[in-house]
């Protein structure tokens, strides 16, 4: 059952250009505006989100409504956030008849997302879908990961390089703080790679669709998640430092370099190892051992 009226295909470069010209709107590079013009990629995003008529969706970056329309035709309700007020006259046209779409004008990083979710979704779990501008990808992901909001999954289009970082494992060049944060909270999977020419205007790099399924519980047990991430941040803050020197820079109360050496020994971690060589489990071991050290005083 279609919820949106049929209009000209928004995956047509000609249609997109005509729409933009008719409303006197130009692409804003500063907002990372690259609109999707590939039907196959749209289908892959919708399939990855596994939407049904009971699902409610929060879309980040409505653009001119290309993905929004597909979401509206697959889900019960869509709340779409768009920062660029210039696009709203276009959205009024492209989303004409989409009775299950609510548009919100604003910056996703500045809006009260918890209040927005309460207002439109109540306590119902929701799904996040979006073609994320490259310049806000990591802040947006971290906001949702750390929010405690009841999202079921996120399907996001991101820079290919970022997708590789999100799914990287210890010992590889792409492995870092983002890898651990994403994998602590979710199970990430690269669904498909999208070349630059599936967008108008084309960006300078390729992109990838990533599915992030929320974990019911983290993959490791940590006594203090704040300390766990403090250790991870320290380890990757200066990649050239050994793990011992990185942890020393934390200046944890009552824990000097000698005791840090003992902590690493108890965790069977060589003090000269570097942050990118440690697994999530090893970071958890360090954080848990540091908890014991702090308790000893």
């Amino acid at each position: 059952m279609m919820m949106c009226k049929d209009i000209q295909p928004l995956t047509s470069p000609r249609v997109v250009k005509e729409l933009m010209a008719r409303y006197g709107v130009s692409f804003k590079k500063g907002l990372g505006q690259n609109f999707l013009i590939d039907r196959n990629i749209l289908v892959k995003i919708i399939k990855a989100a596994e939407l049904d008529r009971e699902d409610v969706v929060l879309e980040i970056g409505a653009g001119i409504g290309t993905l929004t329309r597909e979401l509206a035709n697959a889900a019960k309700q869509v709340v779409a956030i768009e920062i660029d007020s210039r696009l709203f006259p276009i959205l009024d046209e492209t989303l004409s008849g989409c009775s299950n779409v609510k548009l919100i004008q604003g910056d996703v990083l500045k809006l009260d997302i918890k209040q927005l979710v309460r207002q439109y979704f109540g306590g119902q779990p929701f799904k996040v879908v979006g073609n994320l501008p490259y310049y806000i990808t990591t802040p947006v992901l971290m906001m949702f990961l750390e929010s405690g909001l009841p999202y079921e999954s996120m399907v996001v289009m991101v820079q290919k390089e970022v997708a590789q970082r999100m799914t990287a494992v210890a010992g590889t060049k792409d492995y870092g703080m983002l890898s651990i944060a994403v994998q602590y909270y979710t199970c990430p999977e690269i669904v498909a790679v999208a070349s630059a020419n599936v967008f108008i205007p084309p960006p300078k790099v390729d992109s990838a669709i990533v599915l992030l399924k929320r974990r019911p519980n983290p993959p490791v047990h940590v006594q203090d998640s704040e300390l766990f991430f403090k250790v991870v941040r320290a380890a990757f803050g200066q990649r050239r430092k050994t793990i011992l020197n990185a942890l020393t820079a934390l200046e944890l109360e009552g824990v000097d370099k000698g005791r840090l050496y003992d902590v690493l020994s108890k965790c069977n971690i060589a003090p000269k190892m570097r942050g990118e060589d440690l697994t999530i489990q090893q970071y958890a071991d360090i954080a848990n051992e540091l908890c014991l050290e702090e308790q000893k005083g």
Side-chain angles (χ1 to χ4, degrees):
M1 172 181 151
M2 293 287 286
M3 287 194 175
C4 298
K5 293 177 184 176
D6 286 328
I7 62 168
Q8 289 177 297
L10 297 177
T11 50
S12 161
R14 178 185 59 79
V15 171
V16 174
K17 288 175 183 176
E18 285 178 357
L19 263 175
M20 300 282 280
R22 181 147 45 89
Y23 286 94
V25 179
S26 57
F27 295 102
K28 216 168 191 176
K29 190 175 180 181
L31 293 178
Q33 287 179 342
N34 304 99
F35 299 150
L36 197 54
I37 51 168
D38 187 289
R39 179 74 195 166
N40 292 329
I41 295 296
L42 272 179
V43 169
K44 287 177 181 178
I45 293 172
I46 298 298
K47 186 178 179 182
E50 298 181 326
L51 299 174
D52 63 38
R53 283 293 176 207
E54 298 306 311
D55 283 324
V56 292
V57 179
L58 182 66
E59 183 191 12
I60 303 165
I64 60 169
T66 311
L67 177 56
T68 317
R69 288 173 56 80
E70 300 298 324
L71 294 170
N73 288 329
K76 177 183 177 182
Q77 181 188 11
V78 180
V79 173
I81 298 170
E82 174 53 51
I83 192 172
D84 191 353
S85 59
R86 303 174 311 148
L87 298 177
F88 276 64
I90 297 177
L91 287 165
D92 286 341
E93 177 179 334
T94 60
L95 299 179
S96 172
C98 296
S99 57
N100 59 338
V101 175
K102 173 64 180 177
L103 287 170
I104 306 288
Q105 197 274 319
D107 182 339
V108 67
L109 292 171
K110 294 178 181 175
L111 289 170
D112 186 340
I113 298 297
K114 289 188 177 181
Q115 172 56 31
L116 191 149
V117 166
R118 275 196 302 270
Q119 181 178 349
Y120 293 104
F121 302 151
Q124 184 177 352
F126 63 98
K127 294 181 176 180
V128 178
V129 181
N131 177 16
L132 300 183
Y134 296 158
Y135 74 103
I136 62 164
T137 298
T138 299
V140 168
L141 288 174
M142 292 306 298
M143 180 188 72
F144 279 101
L145 292 174
E146 296 173 341
S147 68
L149 287 167
Y151 66 87
E152 290 180 57
S153 64
M154 293 189 271
V155 176
V156 290
M157 177 81 81
V158 299
Q159 190 173 340
K160 182 182 174 184
E161 178 187 310
V162 175
Q164 290 168 335
R165 284 166 48 203
M166 290 160 69
T167 54
V169 296
T172 62
K173 66 179 179 66
D174 293 318
Y175 185 67
M177 174 71 196
L178 183 64
S179 318
I180 293 175
V182 165
Q183 293 168 38
Y184 181 83
Y185 291 107
T186 72
C187 295
E189 174 193 347
I190 296 177
V191 174
V193 173
S195 66
N197 60 18
V198 304
F199 297 97
I200 182 172
K204 293 180 180 178
V205 293
D206 289 343
S207 302
I209 303 166
V210 184
L211 166 63
L212 305 170
K213 284 193 175 180
R214 184 184 186 141
R215 291 182 184 271
N217 297 295
V220 291
H221 167 71
V222 293
Q223 294 179 36
D224 183 337
S225 60
E226 190 177 330
L227 178 59
F228 169 77
F229 281 109
K230 193 182 284 187
V231 167
V232 174
R233 275 192 295 273
F236 289 102
Q238 296 183 55
R239 280 180 174 260
R240 291 184 179 181
K241 280 191 174 183
T242 64
I243 188 63
L244 178 61
N245 288 336
L247 294 179
T248 303
L250 271 176
E251 297 183 349
L252 296 166
E253 190 175 342
V255 185
D256 59 21
K257 195 164 187 174
R259 291 177 81 172
L260 283 171
Y261 190 94
D262 292 340
V263 164
L264 294 173
S265 295
K266 288 175 184 175
C267 298
N268 294 314
I269 295 169
K272 289 187 176 180
M273 287 181 74
R274 301 191 187 279
E276 58 265 33
D277 298 319
L278 273 60
T279 64
I280 295 179
Q281 182 61 63
Q282 287 174 309
Y283 279 111
D285 291 344
I286 292 171
N288 291 339
E289 198 61 44
L290 284 171
C291 271
L292 292 176
E293 287 294 318
E294 285 188 323
Q295 288 164 16
K296 290 176 189 175

